[in-house]
Amino acid sequence: MNAAAHDVTVDAVLGLRGVSAGYDSVEILHGLDLQVRAGEVLAVLGPNGAGKSTLLHLLAGLLPPTAGDLIIGGRRMNGADPTELARRGLCLIPEGRGMFPNLTVEENLWLLTNRGGSRSQVEAQAYARFPRLGERRKQLAGSMSGGEQQMLALARAITTDPAVLLLDELSMGLAPLIVDQLYESVAAIAATGVTVVVVEQFVRSVTHIATRGVVLVGGRFILEGALADLSHQLHTAYLTGTTDEEPTA
């Protein structure tokens, strides 16, 4: 699949140009081309083991490409320090929730005051978006429900004023109703102009927020387009890694 034009256009916030990457001698991603435009909500869909988390680690600077180029804001950023990319506005919420379980909700938020702003400002911003966290401010983060922990991870992210939000399996282990509520919050964050790249296994989770989707199977993009156009092809794509068969279920 030609997931994107080989040349990354000037309006692309993130871009991959012929990128391969992996761990040690094992290549996980194979020759990927991708563009993510400013203000876009892009869903990266694929089965377990497809390389989705590896892709996010690459975009966040945690994993260097072994071939090709990582383009951020029109600049080649191969080998850039993840801290530098964070300063440029890239914020990754990893699989398993990005918070400290042995700290309270408010203590998790206070850690972000080194980015600027007072404790009261950081808390006010977080609790305005997620009132439930205000009710839990003195509670240890690790003792909250999975949905509340994801709220805290999102709250921590928005207090850094990100330009690009990278989300890894936000729905993992959560009830569908909670997932819908979380993605309503993601949609509200995106509406402020934040570019979002969200990794998910199931298209249903992101149907109402993603403007475009790509399907990653075996470390390669095999489909790209509007989610409504992709959803009926996912069953076959996940099982076979091809797109030329009709779904069987």
Side-chain angles (χ1 to χ4, degrees):
M1 184 203 76
N2 182 18
H6 192 67
D7 292 329
V8 179
T9 57
V10 293
D11 64 340
V13 173
L14 293 176
L16 301 178
R17 190 162 51 201
V19 165
S20 299
Y23 303 96
D24 297 325
S25 60
V26 180
E27 186 174 278
I28 306 296
L29 305 176
H30 315 290
L32 299 185
D33 293 320
L34 180 67
Q35 295 187 66
V36 185
R37 295 179 290 274
E40 182 174 24
V41 180
L42 175 72
V44 180
L45 304 163
N48 287 334
K52 303 188 300 299
S53 294
T54 300
L55 174 62
L56 285 192
H57 291 167
L58 175 74
L59 294 175
L62 300 174
L63 181 70
T66 56
D69 295 319
L70 169 64
I71 309 295
I72 298 177
R75 294 182 56 191
R76 182 178 182 272
M77 299 296 289
N78 290 21
D81 188 288
T83 303
E84 178 185 352
L85 297 186
R87 284 197 296 265
R88 288 175 173 269
L90 270 75
C91 179
L92 170 65
I93 298 181
E95 182 180 339
R97 294 145 203 166
M99 51 89 201
F100 295 93
N102 295 325
L103 299 180
T104 65
V105 168
E106 62 184 9
E107 288 169 342
N108 266 275
L109 296 172
W110 293 347
L111 291 175
L112 299 171
T113 56
N114 64 345
R115 302 287 185 92
S118 66
R119 289 182 176 183
S120 60
Q121 290 171 329
V122 168
E123 286 189 78
Q125 184 178 7
Y127 302 153
R129 180 74 69 185
F130 300 102
R132 191 179 305 178
L133 294 180
E135 301 168 4
R136 305 283 194 271
R137 67 180 69 192
K138 300 295 185 181
Q139 186 171 336
L140 290 178
S143 69
M144 297 195 301
S145 70
E148 290 168 341
Q149 290 179 20
Q150 287 290 39
M151 289 179 192
L152 179 55
L154 285 170
R156 283 171 50 83
I158 63 173
T159 59
T160 67
D161 194 24
V164 180
L165 190 57
L166 307 174
L167 303 174
D168 195 354
E169 299 281 6
L170 191 66
S171 66
M172 180 173 290
L174 302 179
L177 179 60
I178 300 300
V179 173
D180 290 344
Q181 293 172 353
L182 288 169
Y183 274 119
E184 287 176 6
S185 297
V186 172
I189 293 168
T192 67
V194 176
T195 303
V196 179
V197 178
V198 54
V199 156
E200 277 291 352
Q201 185 173 357
F202 303 110
V203 66
R204 178 201 170 279
S205 300
V206 292
T207 299
H208 301 299
I209 70 159
T211 51
R212 183 167 60 99
V214 292
V215 178
L216 185 67
V217 176
R220 293 181 171 85
F221 292 132
I222 63 170
L223 290 170
E224 177 191 11
L227 290 191
D229 298 330
L230 296 181
S231 59
H232 72 283
Q233 303 180 64
L234 290 182
H235 178 83
T236 296
Y238 281 21
L239 289 179
T240 69
T242 64
T243 61
D244 57 356
E245 298 177 22
E246 288 297 321
T248 57

